[in-house]
C-alpha cells in the first residue's frame, strides 16, 4: 500500500484446534476505486477503498493450510447473482504453493469457482463466468471460499479485498459510478 491511512480492523480469532496466529485485516479507509473494467484483482489494494459493513471475511490456520470464508451479513435479495461477490482477493507474502490454492464453492448458478493462480502480490478465488456465477448477497454467513497451503510457513498478515457487483454500494464509491467496485470486508 503506497498511501492512505492504515486502520487495524480486528484480529481474526483462531480456534484451539488450529495453529495460533495473530492475524489482522488491514484496511485503507477512503472513497473507493472504479473497477467496472477490471476482471482480476489489482496488484495491490487500491489506496482509497471503502469498508462494506454488510460483507465479512475471515480465515483460519491449521498447520500449513489456511481456510478462507466469506459472509453476506445482510440479505440484499439478489437475483441472477446480483448483488454478489465477483472475486475474493488475498494479498500476502510469501505466496502459497502455486498448485495449492483450491476453491471450494459454487456460484449462484451452480458453477464451480476457480482460482487466479499466484501472482507476485496476491492470489484469489473468482467466479468462472459473469454475474450468474457470483456468490449472491443473500444473508448466508460462513461460506467456505477455499484453501491455500504454504510450504514455507503461513504468513501472519493477510489482506482480503472483495470485488463486488452491488448497485447499492458501488455507484457511491466507484470513480466511474459503475455497479462493480473493490471493498474491504469486516472480520466475520
Amino acid at each position: 500500500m503506497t498511501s492512505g491511512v492504515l486502520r487495524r480492523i480486528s484480529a481474526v480469532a483462531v480456534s484451539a484446534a488450529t495453529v495460533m496466529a495473530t492475524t489482522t485485516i488491514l484496511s485503507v479507509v477512503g472513497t473507493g476505486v472504479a473497477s467496472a473494467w477490471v476482471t482480476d484483482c489489482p496488484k495491490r489494494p487500491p489506496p482509497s477503498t471503502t469498508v462494506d459493513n454488510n460483507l465479512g471475511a475471515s480465515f483460519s490456520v491449521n498447520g500449513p493450510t489456511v481456510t478462507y470464508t466469506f459472509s453476506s451479513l445482510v440479505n440484499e435479495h439478489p437475483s441472477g447473482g446480483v448483488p454478489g461477490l465477483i472475486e475474493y482477493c488475498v494479498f500476502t507474502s510469501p505466496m502459497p504453493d502455486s498448485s495449492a490454492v483450491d476453491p471450494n464453492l459454487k456460484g449462484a448458478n451452480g458453477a464451480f469457482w476457480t482460482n487466479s493462480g499466484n501472482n507476485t502480490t496476491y492470489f484469489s478465488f473468482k467466479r468462472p463466468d459473469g454475474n450468474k456465477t457470483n456468490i449472491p448477497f443473500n444473508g448466508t454467513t460462513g461460506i467456505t471460499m477455499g484453501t491455500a497451503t504454504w510450504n514455507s510457513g503461513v504468513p501472519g498478515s493477510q489482506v482480503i479485498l472483495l470485488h463486488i457487483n452491488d448497485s447499492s454500494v458501488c455507484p457511491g464509491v466507484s470513480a466511474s459510478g459503475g455497479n462493480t467496485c473493490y471493498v474491504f470486508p469486516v472480520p466475520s
Side-chain angles (χ1 to χ4, degrees), residues 28-35 37 45-51 161 169-177 180-184:
V28 181
V29 180
T31 59
V33 169
S35 64
W37 61 90
S48 57
T49 303
T50 298
V51 174
L161 181 70
V169 173
C170 293
V173 300
S174 171
S176 70
T180 68
C181 59
Y182 290 104
V183 296
F184 285 110

Side-chain angles (χ1 to χ4, degrees), residues 1 22-24 26 41-45 59 61 66 68 89-97 101 117-125 148-150 152-161:
M1 291 176 242
T22 301
T23 307
T24 58
L26 300 175
C41 301
K43 291 187 187 289
R44 65 184 52 87
F59 59 88
V61 179
V66 177
Y68 296 88
C89 309
V90 181
F91 297 86
T92 191
S93 182
M95 288 286 111
D97 177 41
V101 175
N118 284 352
N119 157 321
T120 57
T121 59
Y122 73 88
F123 65 92
S124 73
F125 305 105
T149 302
W150 276 261
S152 59
V154 175
S157 178
Q158 299 188 27
V159 176
I160 296 171
L161 181 70

Side-chain angles (χ1 to χ4, degrees), residues 9-10 25 51-58 71 73 162 184-188:
I9 297 293
S10 173
I25 297 174
V51 174
D52 187 334
N53 292 316
N54 291 335
L55 304 175
S58 64
S71 293
L73 302 173
L162 305 176
F184 285 110
V186 296
S188 62

Side-chain angles (χ1 to χ4, degrees), residues 65-68 96-105 112-118 123-126 144-149:
T65 302
V66 177
T67 300
Y68 296 88
D97 177 41
S98 62
S99 64
V101 175
D102 184 22
N104 187 32
L105 73 155
F112 284 98
W113 270 41
T114 63
N115 72 54
S116 64
N118 284 352
F123 65 92
S124 73
F125 305 105
K126 64 183 185 175
T144 299
M145 297 300 296
T147 60
T149 302

